[in-house]
Amino acid sequence: MKGRQLIFGFMLMTIIASVGGRSTAIAGEEPLETRNVVIGLAPGDTLKITTYGELTLTGDFVISPAGTISFPLIGVVKAAGFEVPAIQKALTTALADGYVLDPKVTVDVAHFRPVYILGEVNKPGEYPFALGLTVRGAVAKADGFTYRANEKRAFIKGASETAEHSYKLTADIPVAPGDTLRIGERYF
C-alpha cells in the first residue's frame, strides 16, 4: 500500500511540475491568454475623416448608439464592429459613385471610448484610452493603488460583456476601449 502512495505522490508531483511553466487558472481567475483585445470601433468612438480637396467632407464624426455615422452626401454609414480600413474603403467607394471624382479619403480614430477605473485606486473615474494601455498603466493614470488594494488581482468587464472576469495582476494585461477595471480590497 505504501508503494502505491509513493508512486501516486511521484505522479502528482510530475503533473504539477509539467504544468508549472504555463499560465493556469485559479478559482474564478482566467489565464492571461484568454484576454484577447481586438480594438474594433463601437458607439462613442470619434473618427477623424479627411477627404482631400473637399472641406465640406472633412471633420470629426462620432459613432452613434446605433453604430453609425452620418456622412455628408452619402448619409448613414455603418461603423460599429468594423476596423478603420473597412470604413475608409466604404466611404471612398460611396463617394466615387457619382459624388466626387477620384476621392482620396483617410480615416483615423480621434478618440476611443474611455476606460473606467474603480475600486482601490487613489482617483477612481473615467480616463481616456490610449493604444497599448495595460492594467498597470490604467492604475498609474488613477494615481496608483490605495493602501487597502489587492495588488495581486484585477477585475475587468469588457464593454460588451455582462460580467467581470478576474485576472492575476501582471504588467501586461491589456485594456480595451470601454473596459471597466476594478481593483479589489485585500483582506489582510
Side-chain angles (χ1 to χ4, degrees):
M1 188 67 156
K2 205 169 198 177
R4 285 186 187 172
Q5 288 176 340
L6 187 60
I7 291 172
F8 178 74
F10 178 75
M11 288 173 42
L12 184 60
M13 287 182 3
T14 305
I15 291 170
I16 291 172
S18 69
V19 175
R22 296 191 309 250
S23 176
T24 57
I26 300 173
E29 177 183 310
E30 292 193 13
L32 183 59
E33 292 84 33
T34 64
R35 180 71 177 149
N36 295 324
V37 174
V38 176
I39 303 177
L41 297 171
D45 291 340
T46 304
L47 302 177
K48 179 174 180 46
I49 301 173
T50 305
T51 306
Y52 294 105
E54 302 290 336
L55 293 176
T56 58
L57 301 176
T58 297
D60 289 347
F61 298 86
V62 178
I63 300 175
S64 73
T68 61
I69 59 171
S70 292
F71 197 76
L73 299 178
I74 298 171
V76 176
V77 177
K78 179 81 172 147
F82 293 100
E83 293 184 11
V84 170
I87 295 170
Q88 184 170 311
K89 183 177 180 182
L91 291 173
T92 302
T93 302
L95 286 173
D97 191 25
Y99 295 109
V100 177
L101 183 63
D102 192 29
K104 304 280 190 254
V105 179
T106 60
V107 178
D108 294 308
V109 178
H111 304 284
F112 283 105
R113 292 153 287 153
V115 173
Y116 303 94
I117 306 169
L118 309 172
E120 296 301 322
V121 291
N122 287 312
K123 291 186 179 175
E126 177 181 300
Y127 291 89
F129 174 81
L131 289 173
L133 184 65
T134 63
V135 170
R136 290 270 185 195
V139 169
K141 284 182 177 226
D143 279 353
F145 297 109
T146 65
Y147 70 93
R148 293 184 306 263
N150 179 354
E151 297 182 31
K152 296 180 181 180
R153 188 161 319 290
F155 300 92
I156 302 173
K157 180 187 156 303
S160 61
E161 297 175 334
T162 57
E164 63 182 16
H165 301 278
S166 174
Y167 295 92
K168 183 178 179 184
L169 191 55
T170 62
D172 52 354
I173 298 173
V175 176
D179 278 358
T180 300
L181 166 65
R182 183 175 63 84
I183 302 298
E185 185 176 359
R186 64 180 161 81
Y187 294 110
F188 296 103

